[in-house]
Amino acid sequence: MTEQLDSSRRSLLKFLSGAPLLPLAGGSAAAALLSACGGGDSANAPAQLMSVSFSGMAAPTLADAPKMATTTVASAMQALYSDGRTVPYNLAYQTFFITGAQVPNGSGGTILAGGYWDINNQPILDKTDANSRQFFSDSPDGTSLLKLAAPTVSGIKGNAVFAVVQFEYTTRNAKGDSVYGMLPSPIAVLTLDQDKTTGALTLVKYHNVDTSAANGLWITCGASRSPWNTHLSSEEYEPDASTIAKNTQFANFSLNLYGDATKANPYHYGHLPEITVNPDGTGSCKKHYCLGRISHELVQVMPDERTTLMGDDATNGGLFMFIADKARDLSSGTLYVAKWNQKTTDNGGSATLSWIKLGSATSAEIKALADQLKNADIMDVKTADPADASYTKIPFNGTYNWIKIKPGMEKAAAFLETHRYAALKGGSMGFTKMEGTTVNAKDKIAYSAIAAIGSAMTNGSGGIAIKGPSAGAVYALNMKGGQSDTAGAAMNSEWVPVDMAAVPALTSEDLATPDALGNKANADKVANPDNIKFSEKLRTLFVGEDSSTHVNNFLWAYNVDTKALTRILSTPSGAESTGLHAVDDINGFAYIMSNFQHPGDWESVHSKVQATLDPLIRANYRDRYGAAVGYITGFPALTF
């Protein structure tokens, strides 16, 4: 017998036949959903979202190989509302595009998604391709979703919403040779049409941001949205200015950017670019030179809109913090590096933190120094012991340097040779692969991902000597006000990290031998955490992996109250989970932005799956040259 649906349920099915939604308190979608479920009087205010929980998914296996070769979401979310109702949602993944696609440019034409452009905004062509095709990225990364008060983009039927997406690098040219770091990183503003009823996002315009005023961008990795609604980008693995004449990667970067292998200046790279979105869907770019020249990963600006905690994706890296002079303005302030005062050793270790002031500066004055100085103007650098007491031995990039600062060059050293200067001043430069940072503002806890606990964190070279899984961990940092630096000077911030310890539930587990699929770390735990973002309303820390120890990389949800860890997404095998951004409320809807990069980037961990998955991934992602930009969505999972 066929069950007859009542009118309210017919209305609900019609409502759900649109596109995905994730409602929030007060959102029109939430009200419509509850009303359609027969919940309460539509004249009353909608029930408020109280909490959520996630139901995880199993890791895909070769028993269903296609799921290992694409983005797979088989997880669910349960939303608890203030009237006692629990509404389940099936999660899904929605793409805006696969890089290499022609997408709308907002003027009736199209533009290449993820395409590369030189300093004159002309396409950079891959001459190893018979047709000299334009290079496009297989590595989309940091993404910010935001809205403006008075957008002017035409063709919008619902609400105009904008996403800023940066492209870290491209893996190979058409011939198959590596071109990592040899192309200036593009960055794009996407204008999205948000359906007012369902929250679905549709791409209507792709704009490539002109970065020429910032001398182009270098290896842009993670990103965050600032409290003042801009996109804070990153430039990681800053080129070593002391050996730049021998750096063929940087010479190729300069050639592709300027058409001249010698024109690019290494001191222009390794900084923090900021992207401002304009109402017409375009964007502008400026670089801040006063936050230290380090291997910038995604940064986190604290609720005071001044204090910025920074990841440093380096070997012999440091934990850096910048306190701006003015709120919402990163163009001047004071730079600090942390000293790790070790308390425990096992399971990722723990420490109290003290802070060493490196200097105060404006972006303009450091930019002026960068324009005119070379490394030899700032310091003498030796790679072997000069047997001269005027030099100081420091850890640097997995080895040692002996350095001596030139007279009067302390400020230049602090902001342009930050890794070396921080080590000289006593900072703990023993961190390895320090990736994303984020903040749980309610509890005043910052989180920092260490993607790999490498030798520099275990051998004491930089003042850290812990025992921990090589596949990394997420660390929690309690923050307080009323702190002073190591010289006794007051620090003008209420958001200073005072300790640091690995979170037990977010500490990886190395395997003594690979499992049946080839995983070298426990597949049911986080491994090689990279992108992390915290949702205040959902009380959830999202963690994306960049793993050489998992056959597929995963995106996890960790509830900081219940301590529950659930896997919610699996990327294509060989791909990294990137572009993570947890958005609590855009016009009443929540979004989890999620990209991936370099699918089918085969390593030893993939030896048992590569033969099966390689043809599938090539078919899905433009012969491994494409990757996805998109977001996680949810459909109410209602039974009748």
Side-chain angles (χ1 to χ4, degrees):
M1 179 178 177
T2 302
E3 181 181 1
Q4 298 297 314
L5 297 178
D6 61 34
S7 59
S8 67
R9 291 181 177 180
R10 289 181 185 277
S11 298
L12 178 58
L13 287 177
K14 183 177 180 181
F15 172 71
L16 296 179
S17 67
L21 66 133
L22 280 177
L24 264 155
S28 60
L33 174 61
L34 291 170
S35 176
C37 289
D41 185 349
S42 60
N44 295 329
Q48 300 295 300
L49 179 67
M50 301 300 291
S51 65
V52 301
S53 59
F54 291 90
S55 299
M57 54 176 277
T61 69
L62 287 176
D64 193 352
K67 290 184 178 178
M68 297 184 70
T70 189
T71 300
T72 300
V73 179
S75 51
M77 184 184 83
Q78 297 77 39
L80 174 65
Y81 290 91
S82 57
D83 62 358
R85 298 172 183 271
T86 298
V87 179
Y89 291 84
N90 291 325
L91 301 182
Y93 184 67
Q94 181 74 33
T95 61
F96 298 129
F97 53 76
I98 304 296
T99 58
Q102 291 290 333
V103 294
N105 64 6
S107 301
T110 61
I111 186 173
L112 183 68
Y116 283 87
W117 308 84
D118 66 16
I119 199 70
N120 298 310
N121 291 302
Q122 296 301 305
I124 301 175
L125 303 180
D126 184 351
K127 300 296 181 62
T128 69
D129 179 78
N131 298 314
S132 292
R133 75 181 185 192
Q134 183 181 1
F135 274 111
F136 60 89
S137 177
D138 65 341
S139 297
D141 207 301
T143 300
S144 297
L145 190 69
L146 53 91
K147 65 177 182 177
L148 301 179
T152 60
V153 182
S154 61
I156 300 295
K157 298 178 182 178
N159 299 312
V161 175
F162 302 95
V164 183
V165 182
Q166 59 196 45
F167 300 89
E168 184 179 359
Y169 60 90
T170 196
T171 302
R172 61 189 72 84
N173 60 22
K175 184 181 177 183
D177 296 331
S178 173
V179 291
Y180 174 80
M182 298 181 187
L183 296 163
S185 295
I187 194 161
V189 176
L190 313 183
T191 301
L192 307 168
D193 191 344
Q194 182 192 50
D195 187 288
K196 292 183 178 181
T197 302
T198 67
L201 302 174
T202 304
L203 177 65
V204 297
K205 178 180 179 179
Y206 179 111
H207 168 76
N208 183 70
V209 176
D210 180 1
T211 63
S212 59
N215 301 109
L217 303 183
W218 168 269
I219 312 181
T220 55
C221 195
S224 63
R225 186 180 67 187
S226 73
W228 52 94
N229 214 33
T230 60
H231 175 87
L232 300 179
S233 181
S234 59
E235 293 183 312
E236 69 174 2
Y237 308 129
E238 79 282 9
D240 185 354
S242 73
T243 58
I244 204 65
K246 301 177 182 178
N247 190 329
T248 57
Q249 178 197 45
F250 189 70
N252 278 293
F253 169 84
S254 181
L255 182 63
N256 283 309
L257 177 61
Y258 288 107
D260 182 339
T262 64
K263 187 169 184 178
N265 174 354
Y267 284 139
H268 286 160
Y269 308 100
H271 302 288
L272 182 75
E274 182 174 15
I275 309 300
T276 300
V277 177
N278 302 318
D280 64 354
T282 62
S284 60
C285 175
K286 63 180 176 181
K287 274 185 192 174
H288 298 293
Y289 285 77
C290 52
L291 281 83
R293 185 171 170 269
I294 61 174
S295 188
H296 281 285
E297 268 280 353
L298 65 86
V299 306
Q300 178 65 54
V301 179
M302 299 303 160
D304 65 354
E305 302 183 342
R306 295 172 51 251
T307 305
T308 304
L309 196 63
M310 296 177 275
D312 182 23
D313 186 2
T315 301
N316 290 116
L319 176 63
F320 292 91
M321 179 174 60
F322 179 79
I323 302 177
D325 293 331
K326 300 178 183 178
R328 302 190 166 205
D329 182 356
L330 300 179
S331 66
S332 66
T334 301
L335 181 65
Y336 299 88
V337 66
K339 185 171 181 61
W340 169 279
N341 307 298
Q342 191 155 309
K343 293 172 58 181
T344 64
T345 300
D346 295 337
N347 302 316
S350 65
T352 60
L353 300 174
S354 50
W355 291 91
I356 300 168
K357 179 180 175 179
L358 298 181
S360 298
T362 68
S363 181
E365 65 180 314
I366 303 304
K367 169 65 162 56
L369 294 175
D371 289 345
Q372 63 183 344
L373 296 177
K374 293 182 170 55
N375 174 262
D377 300 323
I378 300 172
M379 61 176 59
D380 288 329
V381 179
K382 306 293 185 184
T383 56
D385 189 348
D388 181 338
S390 66
Y391 286 80
T392 301
K393 182 182 179 181
I394 62 164
F396 182 78
N397 197 28
T399 183
Y400 291 96
N401 282 180
W402 287 258
I403 67 170
K404 179 168 60 175
I405 308 297
K406 296 291 182 71
M409 286 293 166
E410 287 78 10
K411 179 171 285 191
F415 292 93
L416 295 177
E417 288 288 347
T418 308
H419 277 133
R420 291 184 169 105
Y421 189 73
L424 178 69
K425 298 295 285 185
S428 294
M429 302 300 289
F431 292 100
T432 57
K433 299 293 293 180
M434 180 180 283
E435 307 273 358
T437 55
T438 191
V439 63
N440 167 356
K442 179 182 177 181
D443 298 330
K444 232 173 178 181
I445 298 173
Y447 299 97
S448 182
I450 302 290
I453 296 175
S455 59
M457 286 189 74
T458 63
N459 63 18
S461 63
I464 302 171
I466 64 167
K467 296 176 182 178
S470 63
V474 175
Y475 286 73
L477 298 83
N478 290 295
M479 297 180 290
K480 294 182 179 179
Q483 302 301 302
S484 298
D485 65 23
T486 54
M491 302 175 71
N492 187 18
S493 172
E494 295 297 310
W495 298 85
V496 176
V498 296
D499 56 28
M500 183 172 181
V503 179
L506 300 176
T507 300
S508 65
E509 179 186 336
D510 299 332
L511 298 179
T513 57
D515 66 14
L517 201 61
N519 292 298
K520 296 180 180 180
N522 188 337
D524 291 324
K525 293 186 177 182
V526 170
N528 305 114
D530 189 325
N531 278 220
I532 57 174
K533 289 291 171 68
F534 187 75
S535 168
E536 293 285 344
K537 285 184 180 281
L538 304 185
R539 297 287 292 164
T540 298
L541 179 66
F542 294 96
V543 182
E545 297 180 339
D546 176 11
S547 178
S548 58
T549 57
H550 280 171
V551 173
N552 286 85
N553 280 322
F554 307 122
L555 177 62
W556 302 85
Y558 174 68
N559 187 294
V560 297
D561 297 321
T562 67
K563 314 302 182 187
L565 177 69
T566 51
R567 177 175 23 234
I568 60 174
L569 178 149
S570 173
T571 66
S573 188
E576 172 187 345
S577 175
T578 64
L580 178 61
H581 184 199
V583 186
D584 279 344
D585 190 354
I586 296 280
N587 300 317
F589 296 93
Y591 299 93
I592 305 168
M593 313 305 292
S594 181
N595 308 332
F596 66 79
Q597 57 181 223
H598 55 71
D601 188 11
W602 305 121
E603 301 183 61
S604 61
V605 71
H606 301 108
S607 60
K608 297 180 181 180
V609 303
Q610 180 177 347
T612 300
L613 299 183
D614 187 67
L616 299 175
I617 285 178
R618 289 180 183 273
N620 288 341
Y621 301 112
R622 308 189 195 284
D623 203 25
R624 298 194 303 160
Y625 286 92
V629 173
Y631 65 110
I632 296 174
T633 66
F635 295 90
L638 302 179
T639 57
F640 301 106

